């Protein structure tokens, strides 16, 4: 960035002072802006371009309202903010206690601090204003106003308080850098799904997502370097791990490096929207394209070089294969739109989008003209974005194609490209060629690279994915990332390990654990990496918890949780050993088998469940995200107005109050911020810290995770609730509870800035913006055997997510139960049902599906009701459909009570009636008997395999 652009960005970021809503009416914001700019720039002037940028940003973000005293909202007296996505209103009560002198001194101190911190370096100061200022204000221990997290809430316009001053400042800076003719650039890279899900190991899945996230950043970085990170509207780059490393290492900002946990998370999507000068569009887009391709090529070349050094390879055939497969593998697409003439643009837009002449937006423009408001490019933000999206979609349809032959045998992972080899196809005997290829991989590659399995022969792309974490991200970039990913067997056995460690107080269990570990160490002597795997984070943290594990047992616990999950299953023990240790001693194998049997017998004596052979994969995706991004799901204009303004508008505005709020950049930034915080701060906390799971990726609304069956229902429900902020703080207990009816739209935080776990009782100290109560998400789940083909499991979880999306209005989940014996059961259910009273005897009202699933699973697990009930229900209830609620309830109670354990002290007829009422409500919600039977099958399976 040149110095003139940097200064313009600084002026734009300070043009609206952070404390503007509090000082409004007592000092002009432009006068205050000059004071702030004067603190750090010799000439405190506001250039015309910055004023123009502010006007464009203001018009883009707000509804043009009459400028008189009837439409002023005194934010200090009535500080009302509105959730930008749901339109929900929140009253902060009063800010009258905040003195103007205190809040202005807080701002001045923070700005002077950053100016002194980055003396004589305007670019660093600009980046600090973008990245550090809000945090500096919120965490200032010397603050006189004591505003804390209130800084994040202060609106840009008190009359339309649905977006903060920070979003507006960033949009102003982006536009200021793009004048005189701003243009949209929408950029996308691929292939995405095929690249990620081509996986035989969980590590492949994670690293594919991580690599794509990094490649996306390589394209975004081109824009950030040229025009500043605020030029990218979505995703929100502020506090993203890759961006913070760039700011720290390359730009010299004095900020903390992201910890290993955050840095290990793939959180950037494969597309971005930027606002840059029209004249720079092609150059920037092409440079971003080159950055993606060159970065991918560099990664592959580093992996190739490491293999050459370890295997002493340097042959033309070897080099040709690598070049052919990696040169043009990544695809990139981009589209751009700018506006010359407003009327001509609108005519073109309506023609391309098939919009009729009776368009509400036309009438709103006419209303503006009547009030003397001249439109500018900001007025048409939503239309420019919509057209850009349509053009990019059209460009993707015209796929790039270059014919490329892939001869001979195929990669065992992707099945498309030729495995890399040093040139060994010299005979006409295909079987001899295959033996040579297999020998190269098993005798040479596998011996030097422990990440490779016995049966694998990989192409350049799949091999680069397998080795990139260590070769590129760790060694080349120095990233402190956790690149060892738990296997599905580790996920399946996590609850078992946790329960065994808790029982270390029993001498027999501890003795049997030691024996098992000792025999495994003998078997894998010198090859411990094949014995051990990565434990789930929650189990790992448990080993370091003094309350959970005695200090004397800590080393043993750490050894135990690292044992690869396959070694806990007697039926798969031999098969796994043949794969990993084909030449091991038969006597040693027998000794390991005996010690395992002894351990499992000791565990049974203590009533600890044996390790489950099943695990779950969760794929979550936000519903209708295209509609959110296009503004179709935005709140109505009436809902985003401050109450004082809403009350003051005359009847001539009634037509427009019910109109959707026009799409604006702050709406995009709010969505981006909500999705950023969900992916960075919420998902991992829910999946890994509070439950037995491992996150693969969280790219905004898109989540993929592996979860132990014990915690599956809770993880599903929490991800859905935290996504939309369907949470409330109980006024009596202070506990955070899930509430899909009256949720706040925000995620409560504890004193450490972490999302408060539901029901934990941790005091709430802050919040994160979520997508809001009107946003929904759907989840696909697969429950699969640990030995099932991972690629097929991933295909099934995507199919399950699509089945959930087919439910009317979505907001559903689909669980696929894939048993090893064969057959797959799918059950698709809505998260909750808002029912009208279902005749006499029906519970009616609002009820949720996951709590019902948990109650049935608990009843099956505790033996309160026989598992035979599922069979009886599926064979004897078809005739119930269409009958009155009372009749359905009576018949279900009759069948259920016959299978109820009458001796169960904690489970009586009243408990049975509660479970049956839930089933009756499913009938009311439109579910058929067959689907309810599948629901009960899943509940029974979770009760049987859940490892409590």
């Amino acid at each position: 960035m040149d110095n003139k652009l940097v200064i313009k960005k600084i002026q734009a970021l300070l043009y609206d002072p952070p404390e503007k809503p509090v000082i409004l009416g007592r000092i002009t914001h432009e006068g205050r802006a000059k004071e702030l700019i004067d603190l750090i720039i010799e000439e405190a002037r506001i250039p015309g371009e910055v004023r123009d940028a502010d006007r464009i940003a203001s018009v883009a973000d707000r509804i043009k309202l009459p400028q008189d005293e009837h439409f002023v909202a005194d934010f200090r007296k009535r500080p009302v903010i509105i959730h930008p996505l749901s339109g929900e209103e929140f009253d902060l009560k009063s800010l009258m206690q905040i003195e103007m002198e205190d809040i202005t001194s807080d701002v001045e101190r923070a700005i002077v601090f950053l100016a002194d911190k980055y003396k004589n370096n305007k670019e660093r100061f600009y980046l600090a204003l973008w990245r550090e200022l809000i945090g500096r204000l919120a965490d200032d221990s010397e603050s006189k106003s004591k505003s804390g997290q209130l800084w994040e809430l202060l609106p840009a316009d008190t009359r339309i308080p649905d977006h903060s001053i920070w979003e507006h400042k960033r949009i102003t800076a982006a536009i200021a850098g793009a004048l005189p003719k701003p243009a949209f650039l929408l950029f996308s890279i691929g292939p995405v799904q095929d690249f990620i899900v081509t996986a035989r190991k969980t590590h492949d899945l994670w690293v594919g997502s991580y690599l794509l996230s990094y490649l996306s950043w390589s394209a975004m970085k081109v824009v950030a370097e040229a025009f500043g990170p605020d030029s990218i509207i979505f995703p929100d780059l502020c506090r993203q791990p890759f961006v913070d490393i760039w700011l720290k290492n390359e730009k010299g900002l004095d900020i903390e490096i992201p910890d290993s946990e955050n840095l290990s998370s793939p959180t950037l999507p494969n597309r971005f929207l930027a606002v840059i000068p029209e004249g720079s569009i092609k150059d920037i887009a092409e440079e971003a394209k080159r950055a993606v391709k060159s970065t991918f090529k560099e990664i592959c070349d580093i992996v190739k070089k490491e293999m050459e050094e370890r295997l002493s390879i340097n042959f033309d055939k070897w080099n040709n294969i690598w070049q052919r497969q990696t040169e043009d593998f990544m695809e990139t697409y981009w589209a751009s739109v700018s506006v010359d003439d407003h009327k001509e643009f609108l005519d073109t837009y309506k023609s391309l989008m098939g919009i009729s002449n009776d368009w509400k937006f036309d009438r709103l423009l006419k209303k503006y003209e009547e009030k003397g408001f001249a439109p500018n490019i900001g007025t048409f933000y939503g239309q420019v974005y919509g057209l850009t999206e349509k053009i990019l979609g059209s460009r993707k349809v015209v796929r790039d194609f270059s014919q490329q032959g892939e001869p001979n045998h195929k990669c065992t992972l992707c099945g498309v490209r030729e495995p890399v080899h040093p040139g060994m196809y010299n005979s006409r005997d295909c079987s001899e060629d295959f033996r040579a290829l297999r020998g190269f991989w098993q005798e040479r590659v596998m011996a030097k690279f422990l990440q490779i399995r016995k049966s694998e022969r990989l192409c350049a792309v799949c091999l680069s994915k397998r080795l990139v974490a260590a070769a590129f991200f760790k060694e080349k970039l120095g990233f402190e990332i956790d690149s060892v990913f738990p296997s599905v067997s580790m996920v399946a056995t996590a609850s078992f390990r946790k329960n065994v460690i808790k029982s270390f107080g029993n001498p027999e269990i501890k003795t049997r654990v030691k024996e098992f570990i000792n025999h495994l160490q003998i078997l894998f002597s010198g090859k411990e990496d094949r014995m051990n795997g990565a434990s789930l984070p929650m189990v790992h943290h448990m080993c370091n918890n003094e309350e959970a594990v005695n200090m004397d047992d800590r080393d043993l616990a750490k050894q135990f949780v690292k044992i690869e999950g396959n070694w806990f299953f007697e039926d798969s023990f031999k098969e796994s050993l043949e794969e990993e240790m084909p030449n091991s001693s038969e006597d040693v194998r027998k000794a390991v088998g005996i010690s395992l049997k002894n351990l499992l017998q000791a565990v049974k004596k203590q009533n600890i469940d044996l390790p489950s052979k099943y695990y779950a994969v969760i794929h979550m995706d936000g519903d209708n995200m295209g509609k959110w991004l296009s503004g179709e799901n935005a709140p109505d204009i009436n809902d985003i107005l401050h109450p004082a303004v809403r009350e003051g508008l005359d009847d001539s505005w009634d037509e427009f109050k019910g109109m959707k709020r026009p799409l604006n950049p702050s709406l995009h930034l709010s969505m981006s911020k909500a999705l950023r915080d969900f992916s960075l701060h919420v998902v991992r906390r829910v999946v890994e810290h509070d439950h037995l799971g491992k996150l693969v990726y969280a790219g905004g609304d898109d989540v993929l995770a592996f979860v132990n069956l014990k915690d599956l229902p809770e993880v599903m429900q929490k991800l859905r609730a935290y996504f939309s902020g369907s949470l409330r703080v109980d006024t009596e207990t202070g506990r955070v509870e899930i509430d899909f009816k009256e949720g706040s739209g925000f995620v409560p935080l504890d004193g450490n800035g972490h999302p408060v776990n539901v029901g934990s009782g941790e005091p709430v100290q802050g919040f994160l913006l979520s997508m809001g109560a009107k946003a929904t998400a759907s989840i696909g789940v697969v429950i699969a055997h640990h030995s099932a083909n991972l690629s097929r499991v991933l295909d099934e979880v995507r199919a399950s997510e699509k089945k959930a999306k087919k439910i009317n209005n979505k907001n559903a989940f689909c669980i696929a139960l894939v048993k090893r014996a064969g057959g797959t059961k799918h059950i698709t259910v809505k998260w909750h049902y808002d029912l009208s009273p279902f005749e006499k005897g029906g519970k009616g009202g609002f009820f949720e599906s996951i709590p019902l699933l948990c109650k049935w699973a608990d009843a099956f697990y505790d033996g309160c009701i026989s598992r035979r009930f599922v069979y009886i229900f599926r064979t004897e209830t078809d005739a119930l459909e269409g009958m009155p609620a009372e009749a359905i309830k009576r018949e279900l109670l009759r069948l259920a009570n016959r299978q109820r354990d009458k001796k169960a002290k904690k489970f009586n007829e009243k408990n049975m009636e509660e479970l049956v009422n839930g089933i009756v409500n499913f009938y009311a919600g439109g579910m058929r008997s067959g689907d309810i039977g599948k629901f009960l099958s899943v509940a029974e399976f979770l009760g049987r395999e859940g490892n409590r």
Side-chain angles (χ1 to χ4, degrees):
M1 294 176 64
D2 64 61
N3 194 53
K4 288 182 179 179
L5 178 57
V6 168
I7 291 175
K8 191 191 301 181
K9 291 272 187 177
I10 292 171
Q11 293 165 332
L13 287 173
L14 294 178
Y15 184 63
D16 273 323
E19 72 273 34
K20 176 184 173 182
V22 180
I23 67 171
L24 204 62
R26 292 182 287 175
I27 181 175
T28 65
H29 79 271
E30 185 163 319
R32 177 60 178 153
K34 288 181 179 179
E35 290 178 4
L36 295 177
I37 294 171
D38 190 41
L39 294 173
I40 42 93
I41 298 177
E42 292 181 2
E43 188 180 354
R45 67 184 184 86
I46 309 294
E49 283 184 314
V50 170
R51 287 193 180 90
D52 291 343
D54 180 71
R55 280 192 288 270
I56 293 172
S58 298
V59 169
D61 277 337
R62 307 163 196 171
I63 307 300
K64 293 298 292 183
L65 297 170
Q67 301 283 348
D68 61 51
E69 67 275 8
H70 298 294
F71 304 99
V72 175
D74 190 330
F75 194 72
R76 293 179 74 237
K77 288 182 180 178
R78 199 173 179 184
V80 171
I81 61 169
I82 293 171
H83 194 290
L85 304 172
S86 69
E88 290 181 272
E89 189 176 297
F90 299 91
D91 193 337
L92 304 180
K93 306 307 181 187
S94 175
L95 303 180
M96 295 299 290
Q97 77 280 5
I98 297 179
E99 296 294 335
M100 188 177 78
E101 293 76 11
D102 291 341
I103 201 165
T104 55
S105 68
D106 285 352
V107 172
E108 289 175 7
R109 185 169 56 256
I111 289 174
V112 169
F113 173 83
L114 293 178
D116 288 343
K117 188 178 178 182
Y118 302 110
K119 289 178 181 177
N120 304 320
N121 194 313
K122 293 291 190 296
E123 184 181 32
R124 287 180 190 169
F125 177 66
Y126 147 66
L127 293 170
L129 286 177
W130 174 79
R131 169 61 176 81
E132 298 183 62
L133 180 57
I134 189 171
R136 177 71 188 171
L137 287 167
D139 301 333
D140 186 3
S141 59
E142 300 177 20
S143 171
K144 293 182 180 180
S145 69
K146 306 297 180 186
S147 297
Q149 201 173 9
L150 174 66
W151 285 109
E152 295 185 39
L153 296 173
L154 295 177
D157 188 333
T158 57
R159 301 171 304 167
I160 309 170
D162 71 335
H163 60 287
S164 79
I165 192 73
W166 304 97
E167 272 95 52
H168 176 70
K169 286 153 70 74
R170 290 175 183 178
I171 295 299
T172 301
I175 294 171
L179 289 173
K181 192 175 180 182
F184 278 17
L185 171 64
L186 193 57
F187 189 96
S188 175
I189 68 172
V192 178
Q193 283 300 326
D194 289 344
F195 185 73
I196 291 175
V197 302
T198 301
R200 186 179 177 186
K201 300 170 65 176
T202 52
H203 172 272
D204 296 336
L205 198 58
W206 167 77
V207 81
S209 306
Y210 195 77
L211 182 52
L212 272 175
S213 188
Y214 184 77
L215 291 172
S216 293
W217 162 238
S218 70
M220 297 175 198
K221 183 181 175 183
V222 171
V223 178
E225 288 275 14
F227 297 104
D230 51 56
S231 295
I232 293 181
I233 307 301
F234 68 76
D236 186 354
L237 295 186
C238 192
R239 297 180 182 274
Q240 288 281 1
F242 291 149
V243 183
D244 276 358
I245 286 183
W246 169 67
L247 292 172
K248 174 82 172 180
N249 294 344
E250 298 184 37
K251 295 300 177 181
L253 258 60
D254 183 19
I255 57 176
E256 290 185 8
I257 285 287
D259 60 27
S260 174
E261 190 173 273
N262 280 329
L263 189 54
S264 301
S265 300
T267 56
L268 288 175
N270 68 313
R271 67 204 305 267
F272 67 86
L273 174 69
V275 176
I276 60 177
E278 183 194 41
S280 302
I281 286 287
K282 187 173 181 180
D283 289 342
I284 289 293
E286 291 299 320
E287 189 178 343
K289 179 178 179 178
R290 286 192 295 271
V292 170
K293 296 203 170 192
S294 64
T295 302
F296 183 72
K297 186 68 167 57
E298 178 189 9
I299 288 168
C300 295
D301 286 347
I302 286 173
V303 172
K304 174 175 176 283
K305 183 179 179 182
E306 182 172 346
M307 291 201 72
E308 289 170 350
E309 290 176 351
R310 288 206 206 177
L311 303 176
S312 300
I313 292 176
N314 186 13
F315 296 98
D316 289 341
K317 181 68 174 177
W318 168 266
N319 294 326
N320 291 340
I321 294 174
W322 279 88
Q323 183 173 0
R324 181 182 76 231
Q325 294 179 352
T326 63
E327 192 75 34
D328 294 311
F329 176 75
M330 299 307 302
E331 298 172 3
T332 58
Y333 306 95
W334 63 272
S336 176
V337 171
S338 60
V339 177
D340 287 315
D341 179 86
H342 300 153
K343 188 178 184 308
E344 183 180 334
F345 168 76
L346 278 185
D347 290 341
T348 303
Y349 176 81
K350 287 191 283 187
S351 173
L352 290 173
M353 297 295 191
I355 295 174
S356 65
N357 292 326
D358 186 24
W359 189 28
K360 272 192 174 182
F361 188 75
D362 277 336
R363 299 203 295 275
L364 184 62
L365 285 178
K366 187 175 180 180
K367 179 79 172 177
Y368 284 172
E369 291 170 0
E370 290 173 359
K371 298 293 183 180
F373 303 142
N376 60 40
I377 188 175
T379 313
F380 312 103
Y381 178 90
Q383 289 71 36
V384 177
Y385 170 74
L387 187 57
T388 311
E389 277 280 14
K390 194 168 187 70
I391 293 172
L392 183 66
S394 300
R395 169 61 183 90
K396 284 186 174 182
V397 171
V398 186
R399 298 293 299 272
D400 295 336
F401 178 78
S402 58
Q403 188 168 352
Q404 179 174 291
E406 287 292 341
N408 306 314
H409 302 284
K410 295 296 182 282
C411 171
T412 54
L413 192 54
C414 69
V416 174
R417 293 172 291 273
E418 180 184 16
V420 295
H421 60 84
M424 54 185 54
Y425 296 143
N426 296 318
S427 74
R428 296 182 180 179
D429 186 344
C430 187
S431 60
E432 184 178 330
D433 287 343
F434 179 71
R435 282 194 296 272
L437 177 66
R438 184 176 59 186
F440 169 72
W441 277 91
Q442 290 185 0
E443 295 167 16
R444 298 183 63 185
V445 179
M446 189 177 168
K448 295 290 185 178
F449 295 90
L450 296 177
Q451 302 96 320
I452 304 300
R453 290 184 177 183
K454 181 180 178 181
S455 59
E456 289 183 320
R457 299 170 294 280
L458 307 182
C459 66
V461 173
C462 294
L463 183 57
S464 295
K465 269 177 57 176
R466 182 66 62 83
L467 304 180
V468 66
F472 181 74
F473 290 113
K474 282 189 171 182
E475 294 179 19
K476 169 79 165 130
L477 299 183
F479 283 7
E480 294 290 336
I481 57 173
D482 183 9
S483 61
V484 182
F485 205 89
S487 67
V488 294
S489 299
M490 298 294 275
V491 178
T493 58
S495 180
F496 166 75
R497 298 166 194 267
K498 187 178 174 183
N499 291 333
V500 169
I501 291 171
K502 285 181 178 179
S503 302
F504 271 6
N506 180 284
E508 184 182 4
I509 285 185
K510 194 155 66 171
T511 298
R512 296 306 182 191
V513 168
K514 288 180 180 178
E515 288 178 354
F516 183 50
I517 291 175
N518 288 338
H519 283 111
L520 280 175
Q521 287 174 337
I522 294 171
L523 177 65
F524 288 96
S525 178
K527 295 185 178 180
E528 285 76 11
D529 284 344
R530 305 225 180 247
M531 165 186 163
N532 295 325
S535 60
L536 294 191
M538 192 179 191
V539 179
H540 175 76
H541 295 322
M542 178 184 176
C543 294
N544 295 310
N545 188 331
E546 293 181 10
E547 296 180 6
V549 180
N550 186 290
M551 182 68 74
D552 296 334
D553 297 332
R554 195 161 295 174
D555 288 340
L556 181 64
K558 289 179 179 178
Q559 286 180 302
F560 181 68
V561 301
K562 287 196 302 182
I563 297 172
E564 180 54 58
N566 282 336
W567 311 131
F568 287 105
F569 302 116
E570 294 178 89
D571 57 351
S572 62
F573 190 85
K574 290 183 179 180
E575 182 182 341
S576 298
L577 276 181
E578 189 61 35
E579 173 81 12
E580 301 290 346
M581 300 290 291
N583 300 317
S584 56
S585 162
E586 186 62 31
D587 290 340
V588 176
R589 291 191 193 193
K590 287 182 179 178
V592 174
I594 292 171
S595 63
L596 172 60
K597 193 170 292 187
N598 291 338
L599 170 61
L600 296 181
Q601 288 175 350
V603 162
K604 280 184 183 179
K605 290 180 186 177
Q606 294 300 309
N607 294 318
I608 297 174
D609 295 330
L610 295 181
S612 175
K613 297 175 182 178
Y614 286 81
Y615 69 99
V617 186
I618 288 177
H619 183 202
M620 172 177 167
D621 191 48
D623 293 332
N624 303 312
M625 292 309 295
K627 291 183 178 180
W628 282 105
L629 283 170
S630 68
E632 193 173 336
N633 282 349
D636 292 344
I637 289 176
N638 190 61
D639 295 331
I640 63 168
L641 301 176
H642 190 282
V645 174
R646 191 184 307 132
E647 295 157 8
L649 284 176
D650 58 42
D651 295 344
S652 67
W653 285 89
D654 288 350
E655 177 188 4
F656 305 105
K657 286 181 181 179
M659 178 180 168
K660 288 289 181 188
R661 190 220 206 288
L663 180 62
N664 60 90
S666 286
L667 195 67
H668 273 159
L669 275 179
S670 295
M671 276 186 277
S672 186
K673 179 182 178 183
L675 295 175
R676 178 203 67 189
D677 289 343
F678 179 70
S679 61
L680 268 178
H681 305 300
V682 174
V683 179
R684 188 178 291 276
R685 196 77 190 173
V686 169
V687 173
E688 296 186 358
H689 286 259
D690 299 336
H691 296 96
L692 293 169
K694 181 63 181 177
L695 179 66
V696 179
Y697 64 75
D701 66 306
D702 194 12
V703 175
L704 186 70
F706 291 88
V707 183
N708 183 269
L709 291 192
K710 172 185 175 294
D711 288 345
L712 173 62
E714 276 192 89
V715 172
M716 291 170 61
Q717 187 185 36
K718 286 180 181 177
L719 287 178
R720 169 64 186 86
Y722 281 81
F723 176 75
S724 58
S726 299
L727 305 159
R728 65 177 178 85
V729 181
D730 188 281
T731 53
E732 294 183 4
T733 65
R735 293 178 181 273
V736 172
E737 304 294 347
I738 291 175
D739 189 338
F740 285 108
K741 287 186 74 176
E742 305 293 337
S744 66
F746 295 91
V747 175
L749 300 178
D750 61 22
N752 296 316
H754 301 310
V756 176
N757 192 14
V758 169
S760 67
E762 299 169 90
V764 174
Q765 302 290 329
F767 66 91
L768 289 176
L769 178 74
S770 80
M771 281 293 293
K774 292 182 180 178
T776 63
S778 296
I779 283 182
V781 176
V782 171
I783 298 172
H785 194 275
H786 75 100
S787 64
N789 181 285
L790 182 58
S791 292
R792 291 177 185 170
V793 172
L794 295 174
D795 288 341
E796 188 63 60
V797 79
R798 290 197 306 279
S800 296
E801 184 262 333
K802 288 178 181 177
K803 285 180 184 291
K805 294 278 191 179
K806 289 181 180 178
I807 290 283
N808 189 36
N809 296 322
K810 306 181 180 75
N811 194 31
F813 62 87
C814 174
I815 298 178
L817 175 56
V818 185
K819 293 185 179 180
R820 194 183 190 192
T824 300
K825 292 185 178 71
H826 291 91
I827 174 60
T828 307
V829 189
K830 293 187 77 69
W831 291 104
H832 48 79
Y833 294 82
D834 196 1
L835 304 174
S836 57
F838 186 45
E839 297 190 24
K840 183 180 177 181
K843 189 176 180 182
F846 185 91
F847 87 99
E848 300 175 37
S849 303
I850 291 292
L852 182 65
L853 178 68
C854 292
K855 288 175 183 177
W856 274 101
D858 289 343
F860 285 123
Y861 176 78
D862 294 330
C864 300
I865 183 169
S866 170
R867 292 167 183 166
R868 178 173 164 75
F869 174 71
V870 178
Y871 172 77
I872 292 172
F873 182 94
R874 298 188 69 175
T875 55
E876 299 186 21
T877 58
D878 285 346
L880 294 179
E881 291 178 15
M883 293 179 66
E886 186 65 22
I888 293 175
K889 179 179 176 180
R890 285 179 179 274
E891 176 61 9
L892 290 179
L893 279 173
R894 183 185 72 81
L895 295 174
N897 279 317
R898 283 169 50 188
Q899 303 301 319
R900 179 171 62 86
D901 182 359
K902 309 299 190 296
K903 297 178 182 179
K905 296 180 180 179
K906 296 182 179 180
F907 194 86
N908 53 34
E909 289 185 28
K910 186 177 180 181
N911 301 123
M912 193 73 257
E913 185 175 359
E914 183 181 356
L915 292 184
V916 167
N917 274 333
I919 298 302
V920 173
N921 278 323
F922 272 153
Y923 277 107
M927 285 182 67
R928 302 179 68 86
S929 293
D931 290 331
I932 297 174
K934 292 176 184 177
F935 178 88
L936 291 172
S937 293
V938 172
E940 184 273 328
F941 189 85
L942 290 174
R944 172 160 39 101
E945 291 284 343
N947 283 118
R948 311 304 172 88

